C-alpha cells in the first residue's frame, strides 16, 4: 500500500485528531482540535500516551469501522435484507453477490487507521518513560498490551473479510514515508496476532481491575477480552485447517474467561452465591438481559468488550442509520437501511435442522418477541429490527400479541448512544460448544457438554413455565449438534455482526483442500463451497428465485471474501485482487 493508505494514516490520523487524556467516559470520547499535531512537543508526558491510547479506542467507534462491522459481519448473511422501500444499488449488488471492486464498503481504511494508531503508540510510548517519571514501566507494559491486542483484533477483522491482507507493525507518521507492502496469507497474519495476544495477556489489566461499575472494565481491552480474541482466532483457524489442537485451544481460553468471570461475580455477590449451586455462568435473567441490550447507558453485565458511545460528539450513527427505522433528525423523517429477514417470522418445529426456513422453534422464547417488531406476522417478509435500537426498552411478554408494536417510538437522533458489543459471555459459551462438537468424536460426554452450554443459553431465554426447551435426545449425532449450535448462536447474537463469519466457519469445516499458507491469487484453483452453507445464505430470499441465482454465483472459496478496493490497487502494484473479481467493475467467474 503506497500513497492511499499513507495519506489516510498521516493526514487523517496523526496530523489531526489526537485523543485526550482519559479521566472519564466523556473525556475518552473527546478529541483535541484538529490543529493539534504530533511532533517534537509531543511524547513528553503520561498524559500524551494516554491521549494517543484514547485516540486508538476512539477510532474503533468511527462510523466507517462500525458500519463495516455490520455490513461485513451481518448483512452478507441470511439475517439482514435491504429495506424494500430504500434505494441503494450498492446494497443490492452485495445481496446479488456482485461485490464490485469499486464498492465503497470494500474499504479497509478505517481498520488500518486503528492499526497505525496502535503502531505509533508502540513506537513512541517507551520514550516517555525517560521524560516523565509518572509514566512507569508498569504503565508502559499495560499500554503496550492494549495496543498489541487492539491491533490484533483489527487484523482479525481484516483476515475474515479479505483473507489475504498486508501486515505491518511499523508506524507511518508523515507524508515522506511510503508503504509498499504485499498481502500475507491468513496463516502468517493470524500467527502474528496470536503472538501479540500472548504477549498482551501477560501485562494487560484483569477484568474488574478498574473497580466495580467502572466503564473501563468493558470499554478497554482487559485480560478477558484478550482471551476472547485468542479463542475466536483459534476457532477460526481450526475451522479452516480442521485442527483438533486449535479447537482445544479455543476451549481452554474460553474456560479462562468463564473462570475469571465466575471469580469476579463471587467477589461481589458473596451473600447471594452458593458454592454448591454449580452455576459458573451467572447469566442474568432474560428480562434484565434484554433490558441491558436496549439500554442507552451501555456495558451490559455479561459483556466482555464494548465500544463506548455517549459523549457529546460521539453517537453510534452507523447502528442508527442501518437499524433504526424511525426517528427525527433535523426535522426530516428517516428510515433505516436494513431489516431482519423473513426467517425471523413465526416459529417452526425444524428450526435447528438443515431444512429450516425459520429461526425460532418456540413462542415461549422472549428473544422471538423482543428482537424484531411485528413478531409472528407470517405475512411480513421484512421485520424492523428492535434489538439494540429500541428507545423504550419495554420487554414484551411471550404472548401472541406481544409483537404487535410495529415501529420504534423514535429515538432522538441527536443522542443515539448505544454501545456496540464486541464480545459477551453467551457468545463465548456458544463458541466453546462449537469447538466441543468438532472435537468430541465418539466422546458422548463432550457432546453432552456442548449441548448443556446451548441449553443454558436457550433456557435462559424461555418463559420460566415453558416446557418446550431443547431435548438432548433430539440431537443424536455431530451434524445435528453442529446445526443446533449454529442456530442458537443466531437466536442469541442476531444483528451483532457475527452471523456471516459463523456461516463461513460452518462452510470451512465441510471443505477440503483449503490452504491457509497460500494466498488466493497464488493458486490456480480453489476448493468448492459447502452447498448447505449456501442454502442458509439464500433462505432470506424466500421463493422468489433470487436465492438460486446467488447460490449459482458463489462456487469457490474466494467468493467468501470481498474484493480489494480498486483505488487501493491503483496506488500499490504489490496488491493482488481477489481472483474471482476482475477490474472492469463487475463480478466474474475465473
Amino acid at each position: 500500500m503506497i500513497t492511499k493508505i499513507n495519506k489516510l494514516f498521516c493526514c487523517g490520523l496523526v496530523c489531526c485528531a489526537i485523543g485526550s487524556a482519559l479521566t472519564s467516559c466523556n473525556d475518552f470520547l473527546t478529541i483535541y482540535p484538529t490543529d493539534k499535531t504530533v511532533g517534537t512537543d509531543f511524547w513528553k508526558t503520561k498524559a500524551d500516551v494516554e491521549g494517543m491510547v484514547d485516540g486508538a479506542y476512539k477510532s474503533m467507534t468511527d462510523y466507517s469501522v462500525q458500519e463495516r462491522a455490520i455490513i461485513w459481519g451481518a448483512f452478507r448473511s441470511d439475517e439482514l435484507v435491504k429495506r424494500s422501500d430504500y434505494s441503494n444499488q450498492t446494497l443490492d449488488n452485495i445481496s446479488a453477490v456482485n461485490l464490485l471492486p469499486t464498492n465503497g464498503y470494500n474499504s479497509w481504511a478505517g481498520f488500518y487507521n486503528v492499526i497505525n494508531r496502535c503502531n505509533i503508540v508502540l513506537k513512541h510510548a517507551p520514550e516517555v518513560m525517560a521524560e516523565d517519571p509518572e509514566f512507569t514501566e508498569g504503565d508502559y507494559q499495560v499500554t503496550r498490551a492494549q495496543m498489541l491486542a487492539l491491533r490484533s483484533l483489527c487484523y482479525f477483522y481484516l483476515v475474515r473479510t479479505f483473507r489475504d491482507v498486508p501486515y505491518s507493525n511499523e508506524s507511518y507518521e508523515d507524508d515522506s514515508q511510503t508503504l509498499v507492502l504485499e498481502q500475507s496469507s491468513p496463516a502468517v497474519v493470524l500467527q502474528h496476532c496470536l503472538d501479540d495476544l500472548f504477549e498482551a495477556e501477560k501485562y494487560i489489566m484483569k477484568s474488574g481491575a478498574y473497580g466495580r461499575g467502572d466503564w473501563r472494565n468493558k470499554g478497554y481491552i482487559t485480560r478477558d477480552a484478550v482471551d476472547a480474541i485468542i479463542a475466536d482466532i483459534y476457532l477460526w483457524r481450526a475451522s479452516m485447517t480442521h485442527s483438533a489442537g486449535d479447537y482445544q485451544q479455543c476451549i481452554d481460553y474460553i474456560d479462562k474467561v468463564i473462570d475469571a468471570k465466575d471469580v469476579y461475580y463471587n467477589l461481589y455477590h458473596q451473600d447471594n452465591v452458593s458454592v454448591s449451586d454449580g452455576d459458573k455462568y451467572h447469566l442474568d435473567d432474560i428480562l434484565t438481559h434484554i433490558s441491558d441490550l436496549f439500554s442507552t447507558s451501555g456495558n451490559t453485565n455479561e459483556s466482555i468488550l464494548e465500544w463506548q458511545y455517549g459523549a457529546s460528539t460521539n453517537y453510534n450513527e452507523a447502528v442508527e442509520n442501518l437499524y433504526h427505522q424511525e426517528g427525527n433528525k433535523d426535522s426530516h423523517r428517516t428510515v433505516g437501511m436494513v431489516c431482519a429477514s423473513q426467517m425471523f417470522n413465526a416459529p417452526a418445529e425444524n428450526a435447528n435442522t438443515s431444512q429450516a426456513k425459520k429461526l425460532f422453534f418456540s413462542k415461549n422464547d422472549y428473544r422471538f418477541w423482543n428482537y424484531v417488531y411485528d413478531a409472528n406476522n407470517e405475512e411480513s417478509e421484512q421485520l424492523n429490527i428492535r434489538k439494540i435500537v429500541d428507545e423504550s426498552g419495554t420487554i414484551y411478554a411471550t404472548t401472541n400479541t406481544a409483537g404487535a408494536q410495529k415501529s420504534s417510538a423514535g429515538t432522538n437522533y441527536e443522542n443515539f448512544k448505544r454501545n456496540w458489543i464486541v464480545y459477551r459471555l453467551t457468545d463465548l459459551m456458544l463458541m466453546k460448544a462449537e469447538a466441543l462438537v468438532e472435537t468430541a468424536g465418539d466422546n458422548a460426554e463432550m457432546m453432552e457438554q456442548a449441548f448443556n452450554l446451548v441449553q443454558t443459553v436457550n433456557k435462559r431465554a424461555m418463559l420460566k413455565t415453558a416446557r418446550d426447551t431443547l431435548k438432548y435426545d433430539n440431537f443424536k449425532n455431530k451434524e445435528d449438534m453442529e446445526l443446533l449450535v449454529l442456530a442458537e448462536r443466531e437466536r442469541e447474537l442476531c444483528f451483532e455482526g457475527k452471523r456471516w463469519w459463523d456461516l463461513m466457519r460452518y462452510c470451512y469445516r465441510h471443505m477440503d483442500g483449503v490452504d491457509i499458507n497460500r494466498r488466493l491469487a497464488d493458486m490456480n484453483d480453489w476448493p468448492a463451497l459447502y452447498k448447505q452453507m449456501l442454502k442458509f445464505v439464500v433462505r432470506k430470499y424466500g421463493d422468489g428465485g433470487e436465492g438460486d441465482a446467488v447460490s449459482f454465483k458463489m462456487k469457490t472459496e474466494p467468493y467468501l471474501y470481498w474484493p480489494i478496493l480498486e483505488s487501493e490497487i491503483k496506488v500499490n502494484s504489490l496488491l493482488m485482487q481477489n481472483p474471482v473479481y476482475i477490474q472492469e467493475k463487475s463480478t466474474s467467474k475465473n
Side-chain angles (χ1 to χ4, degrees):
M1 285 166 288
I2 190 166
T3 56
K4 177 79 173 181
I5 289 182
N6 196 39
K7 288 179 179 178
L8 162 75
F9 285 171
C10 299
C11 299
L13 164 62
V14 180
C15 296
C16 293
I18 305 300
S20 68
L22 179 106
T23 55
S24 70
C25 188
N26 282 350
D27 288 339
F28 166 59
L29 298 170
T30 305
I31 57 178
Y32 282 133
T34 55
D35 61 353
K36 179 72 176 180
T37 61
V38 179
T40 57
D41 294 332
F42 211 74
W43 302 112
K44 300 294 185 182
T45 67
K46 180 179 179 179
D48 292 339
V49 178
E50 289 176 337
M52 288 298 289
V53 170
D54 300 344
Y57 279 109
K58 169 66 169 60
S59 60
M60 286 302 295
T61 69
D62 186 77
Y63 187 97
S64 65
V65 173
Q66 179 65 84
E67 180 185 50
R68 281 156 184 77
I70 295 172
I71 297 296
W72 293 351
F75 183 73
R76 286 197 72 189
S77 74
D78 49 351
E79 72 181 15
L80 294 176
V81 295
K82 183 182 73 66
R83 282 183 63 93
S84 58
D85 58 353
Y86 179 74
S87 178
N88 187 307
Q89 186 61 48
T90 301
L91 292 179
D92 289 337
N93 282 334
I94 294 171
S95 296
V97 199
N98 294 322
L99 302 183
L100 309 182
T102 55
N103 179 349
Y105 290 120
N106 300 0
S107 175
W108 54 30
F111 286 90
Y112 276 108
N113 182 349
V114 182
I115 288 168
N116 198 54
R117 285 179 179 262
C118 295
N119 288 341
I120 290 171
V121 175
L122 289 167
K123 177 181 178 180
H124 291 290
E127 303 167 8
V128 180
M129 286 188 287
E131 299 284 345
D132 185 354
E134 291 189 8
F135 188 63
T136 66
E137 174 71 21
D139 294 329
Y140 164 67
Q141 291 294 355
V142 171
T143 295
R144 176 172 173 265
Q146 290 193 66
M147 296 298 93
L148 289 173
L150 184 57
R151 184 176 72 184
S152 297
L153 179 60
C154 289
Y155 275 122
F156 186 40
Y157 271 103
L158 294 171
V159 167
R160 287 179 293 178
T161 305
F162 299 99
R163 192 185 189 275
D164 310 319
V165 298
Y167 181 89
S168 175
N169 56 14
E170 297 182 35
S171 63
Y172 292 84
E173 305 175 48
D174 63 67
D175 287 329
S176 67
Q177 294 175 277
T178 58
L179 174 62
V180 180
L181 194 65
E182 64 183 9
Q183 292 131 298
S184 297
S185 69
V188 171
V189 178
L190 294 178
Q191 192 57 55
H192 279 309
C193 293
L194 288 172
D195 291 343
D196 283 347
L197 289 162
F198 298 150
E199 184 69 12
E201 190 188 27
K202 300 175 186 177
Y203 303 103
I204 202 98
M205 297 282 280
K206 291 183 178 180
S207 300
Y210 294 101
R212 189 177 185 183
D214 194 304
W215 66 269
R216 290 173 294 181
N217 292 317
K218 308 294 178 71
Y220 273 2
I221 293 179
T222 61
R223 188 172 301 172
D224 284 357
V226 167
D227 289 341
I229 301 168
I230 292 173
D232 208 359
I233 291 175
Y234 272 126
L235 185 61
W236 182 265
R237 195 170 73 174
S239 299
M240 295 184 77
T241 63
H242 309 168
S243 166
D246 280 357
Y247 280 123
Q248 186 58 53
Q249 290 279 30
C250 171
I251 294 168
D252 292 343
Y253 275 92
I254 290 174
D255 282 342
K256 286 187 177 185
V257 179
I258 292 172
D259 290 344
K261 289 185 77 68
D262 180 39
V263 169
Y264 182 71
Y265 182 91
N266 291 336
L267 178 65
Y268 288 106
H269 299 81
Q270 294 179 13
D271 297 334
N272 300 317
V273 176
S274 171
V275 176
S276 62
D277 65 13
D279 179 16
K280 295 184 65 175
Y281 310 116
H282 312 293
L283 300 181
D284 288 333
D285 68 80
I286 187 59
L287 301 182
T288 300
H289 171 63
I290 291 178
S291 178
D292 278 351
L293 291 176
F294 291 154
S295 173
T296 58
S297 59
N299 299 319
T300 71
N301 292 335
E302 297 172 17
S303 288
I304 296 165
L305 180 63
E306 297 189 22
W307 302 138
Q308 307 291 299
Y309 293 87
S312 59
T313 58
N314 183 264
Y315 308 124
N316 197 339
E317 294 187 32
V319 169
E320 162 190 279
N321 290 344
L322 287 167
Y323 286 173
H324 198 277
Q325 305 305 329
E326 289 187 358
N328 191 294
K329 184 175 185 180
D330 299 329
S331 301
H332 296 290
R333 205 69 171 171
T334 61
V335 295
M337 296 164 61
V338 300
C339 289
S341 74
Q342 63 180 346
M343 75 176 189
F344 287 87
N345 286 4
E349 291 184 3
N350 69 345
N352 297 318
T353 72
S354 60
Q355 293 78 35
K357 295 288 187 181
K358 306 296 182 183
L359 179 62
F360 289 93
F361 64 85
S362 171
K363 291 183 181 180
N364 288 315
D365 194 324
Y366 274 92
R367 298 169 301 187
F368 171 68
W369 298 108
N370 287 279
Y371 283 3
V372 298
Y373 292 106
D374 206 20
N376 207 38
N377 181 346
E378 298 189 39
E379 297 179 358
S380 177
E381 294 188 358
Q382 296 186 347
L383 294 96
N384 291 349
I385 296 169
R386 182 166 188 254
K387 183 181 182 182
I388 305 174
V389 297
D390 183 77
E391 180 182 20
S392 68
T394 302
I395 311 303
Y396 294 155
T398 51
T399 68
N400 290 337
T401 59
Q405 186 176 350
K406 290 181 167 53
S407 62
S408 165
T411 296
N412 182 346
Y413 273 73
E414 300 306 317
N415 294 281
F416 201 94
K417 301 177 181 179
R418 302 303 201 270
N419 284 358
W420 180 255
I421 300 174
V422 184
Y423 289 106
R424 55 189 177 94
L425 183 57
T426 50
D427 181 7
L428 267 66
M429 291 168 64
L430 295 171
M431 286 167 55
K432 179 180 176 180
E434 184 176 323
L436 283 167
V437 170
E438 297 309 312
T439 54
D442 296 329
N443 190 323
E445 182 179 352
M446 290 179 65
M447 198 68 80
E448 190 167 0
Q449 288 178 28
F451 174 82
N452 288 339
L453 284 162
V454 177
Q455 175 74 304
T456 299
V457 175
N458 184 270
K459 193 172 183 179
R460 187 269 293 270
M462 292 291 173
L463 187 69
K464 291 183 178 180
T465 58
R467 297 182 177 179
D468 53 357
T469 52
L470 303 168
K471 303 294 190 297
Y472 182 60
D473 290 343
N474 293 337
F475 306 95
K476 299 182 181 299
N477 54 46
K478 177 180 177 180
E479 179 183 3
D480 290 344
M481 285 294 299
E482 187 179 31
L483 292 171
L484 169 64
V485 175
L486 185 67
E488 190 63 32
R489 282 188 60 82
E490 176 64 354
R491 285 189 284 264
E492 177 70 10
L493 303 167
C494 61
F495 319 136
E496 295 183 34
K498 306 283 184 178
R499 179 62 171 178
W500 177 250
W501 292 318
D502 285 356
L503 290 173
M504 284 182 67
R505 290 197 310 272
Y506 174 68
C507 185
Y508 268 127
R509 290 196 297 268
H510 296 272
M511 291 170 59
D512 295 319
V514 175
D515 188 350
I516 69 169
N517 295 294
R518 299 175 65 197
R519 300 175 301 182
L520 291 175
D522 295 330
M523 304 178 194
N524 294 321
D525 54 60
W526 313 277
L529 299 181
Y530 182 47
K531 291 183 179 179
Q532 181 55 50
M533 179 266 197
L534 296 177
K535 290 181 180 179
F536 283 129
V537 172
V538 302
R539 66 179 177 177
K540 69 179 179 181
Y541 296 98
D543 299 321
E546 298 97 331
D548 290 338
V550 169
S551 182
F552 175 78
K553 288 183 180 180
M554 295 188 66
K555 292 185 175 181
T556 55
E557 183 185 5
Y559 283 102
L560 295 173
Y561 298 96
W562 292 71
I564 307 300
L565 190 65
E566 185 177 70
S567 57
E568 293 284 1
I569 292 178
K570 288 180 178 179
V571 297
N572 181 2
S573 61
L574 294 184
L575 288 178
M576 297 186 293
Q577 183 59 272
N578 182 323
V580 297
Y581 304 109
I582 60 176
Q583 299 296 323
E584 283 74 34
K585 300 182 181 179
S586 64
T587 298
S588 172
K589 293 187 297 180
N590 198 356

